[in-house]
Amino acid sequence: MKQVNTSEKAAAGPLGRDAEGRLYDSRVRTAMGVFTKGGDTLALEAAAAARSAFHAVEKLRSHGSQGRGLSAGALDVLVRLGAAGEPGLGVGELARAGGVSPRNATGLVDTLEREGLARRSPDPNDRRAVLVTATAEGLAWLEEFRVPTERAMAAVFRGFSPEELAQLRHLCLRLVENQQQIEQYLTAVADGPGPDVG
């Protein structure tokens, strides 16, 4: 294997390749090695890589928002509203679909409403509820956002085969599935039966 001197490593940045040719972040590996006191760092490195990948995608995605200042969460809500059409979606539905609390979903809808991209209207089937729809301006904004987003995603996933993209999607959603199962378990333990006073 070719020896790389320190100045070449600095020029190359923190990313390196392991013996199998797979990328790793040398800063993360070093920090996790210290954290684990020399133990196995692979899961921790994978978690750090997932966070870094998320931030890289979000950074590119935010460039397409044309300075509008929409957060990723508000953008996701607007995309869902654009796909839902009339009569719209309830805040609870938006919260469940986005994996956020109803309070957070309400805040995201507030943001979209202030920007003129969404509107609330009474739910004709439930007087206590409201439905949220994308406005004409919101739909136009999504259409303008679509092309730069497609270009950005094509650039960030350059060189990925369809099989690799499907595998990446699968692996990311396995993380989500595992997290949800852990959360269900912890909730069940916390809500478990009280002391036996029988």
Side-chain angles (χ1 to χ4, degrees), residues 55-152:
H55 290 300
V57 169
E58 287 306 305
K59 198 178 280 189
L60 269 181
R61 203 163 90 153
S62 70
H63 282 294
S65 67
Q66 302 160 346
R68 190 115 197 199
L70 287 186
S71 68
L75 181 57
D76 285 342
V77 168
L78 185 57
V79 168
R80 290 178 199 285
L81 293 175
E86 296 289 341
L89 298 171
V91 172
E93 290 175 274
L94 289 168
R96 284 187 295 280
V100 298
S101 71
R103 182 177 180 170
N104 285 346
T106 298
L108 296 170
V109 169
D110 289 344
T111 298
L112 293 172
E113 210 169 24
R114 271 193 310 275
E115 294 287 329
L117 303 175
R119 72 172 172 277
R120 289 177 170 97
S121 57
D123 184 338
N125 300 317
D126 183 350
R127 288 182 296 146
R128 299 166 297 155
V130 296
L131 293 174
V132 185
T133 55
T135 63
E137 184 181 345
L139 294 173
W141 190 93
L142 280 173
E143 185 58 29
E144 290 174 17
F145 183 73
R146 184 180 53 77
V147 171
T149 298
E150 289 173 348
R151 286 184 184 142

